[in-house]
Amino acid sequence: MKRKLEIVVLSDIHLGTYGCHAREVLQYLNSVKPQKLILNGDIFDIWQFRKRYFPKSHLLVIKKIFALAAKGTKVYYITGNHDEKLRRFSETKMGNIYILDKLVLNLDGKRAWFFHGDVFDASIQHTKWIAKLGGWGYDLLILLNRAINVVLIKMGKEKYSLSKKIKNSVKGAIKFISDFENTATELAIENKFDYVVCGHIHQPTIREVKTDKGSCIYLNSGDWIENLTALEYNNEAWKLYQHGNRRPVMSPIKNTLRDEDSFPEMLSAFSALSEIASK
């Protein structure tokens, strides 16, 4: 049975990279029926896009998103830094799909502010080539980590995250995450938002922040490279979902994408993405 939810928030899927867990994303999307699906940035990784690498499972995620929109789900695609070239299409509406830079919603009388969060990242704003180089390095690190985990599993040991170890051991990385969260919450409180929902830093979180100026709930949807997390809103409450191999709500992937599949919207969108990425 699909779980009916008011809102699902996904970010940092990075379709088109080796680190993307597209099959798990598809399993999750097959298990839910949201009224609104908010894609909070870096869904495609145009920075690292390669025409020679875009597996069928990645295409199936695109198809599923279009299928949800066709069945009535409102899909809000909020652009991030890795898919920033889509920002030229901001405020575009295609049926139930909206392309935006930010989104404000009224949730049961409370104001929610959604945006990716790269606007706070100085390395992207001023030295983009360093950020892009870091993206390539991160992708290679994930590939190495997967190889290590294959060996660990065969030895009967738990998986290990190299990137998390690095992030937790580098003071600069810890400070960046803290500064990011503090900046987002301070702006949200100043602008009278009850919720501020971000992505970008791959750190899934739900926590209340209080200052002398007020309070708000800070939420981060994490990512689908390492954490495999999503935010869910239902019955006036937020929950952080983490994908697990044994979760009963997970449904198996059906490889339904055929060469003759009559899904022109998806194919047209993918073609447009390819053209944008190549420029």
Side-chain angles (χ1 to χ4, degrees), residues 166-211:
I166 292 170
K167 288 176 185 176
N168 292 336
S169 62
V170 178
K171 290 183 179 180
I174 296 171
K175 184 178 184 301
F176 168 75
I177 292 170
S178 176
D179 290 347
F180 177 95
E181 294 177 347
N182 290 338
T183 302
T185 52
E186 286 173 7
L187 284 172
I189 291 171
E190 183 179 330
N191 288 281
K192 308 299 181 183
F193 288 105
D194 300 286
Y195 306 116
V196 56
V197 188
C198 303
H200 188 55
I201 58 174
H202 296 203
Q203 293 289 318
T205 307
I206 298 178
R207 66 183 179 90
E208 184 176 10
V209 177
K210 293 183 179 181
T211 70

Side-chain angles (χ1 to χ4, degrees), residues 2 6 66 78 114 266 275:
K2 293 187 178 183
E6 293 175 47
F66 274 89
I78 300 173
F114 301 83
M266 180 195 70
E275 291 175 5

Side-chain angles (χ1 to χ4, degrees), residues 32-65:
V32 295
K33 188 177 181 181
Q35 295 175 17
K36 295 182 177 69
L37 173 61
I38 298 174
L39 303 172
N40 201 1
D42 289 359
I43 305 306
F44 296 102
D45 199 317
I46 296 177
W47 281 8
Q48 301 181 64
F49 184 83
R50 315 167 187 83
K51 289 185 178 180
R52 66 179 181 276
Y53 184 80
F54 209 93
K56 188 171 288 187
S57 59
H58 294 220
L59 282 169
L60 286 168
V61 171
I62 303 172
K63 177 178 179 179
K64 182 61 183 181
I65 292 169

Side-chain angles (χ1 to χ4, degrees), residues 89-156:
F89 303 111
S90 291
E91 307 302 324
T92 297
K93 180 180 181 295
M94 299 176 290
N96 278 330
I97 299 177
Y98 304 78
I99 300 176
L100 306 164
D101 292 334
K102 58 183 180 295
L103 174 67
V104 175
L105 292 177
N106 186 310
L107 305 181
D108 299 300
K110 295 184 177 181
R111 298 178 73 220
W113 182 25
F114 301 83
F115 62 98
H116 182 64
D118 57 295
V119 66
F120 300 145
D121 195 334
S123 68
I124 292 171
Q125 301 300 322
H126 304 295
T127 52
K128 189 174 293 183
W129 68 271
I130 294 178
K132 289 185 177 182
L133 186 62
W136 283 101
Y138 182 70
D139 209 23
L140 291 173
L141 182 65
I142 293 299
L143 281 175
L144 175 62
N145 204 160
R146 283 190 177 182
I148 292 172
N149 283 333
V150 168
V151 176
L152 289 175
I153 292 170
K154 288 183 178 180
M155 294 172 63

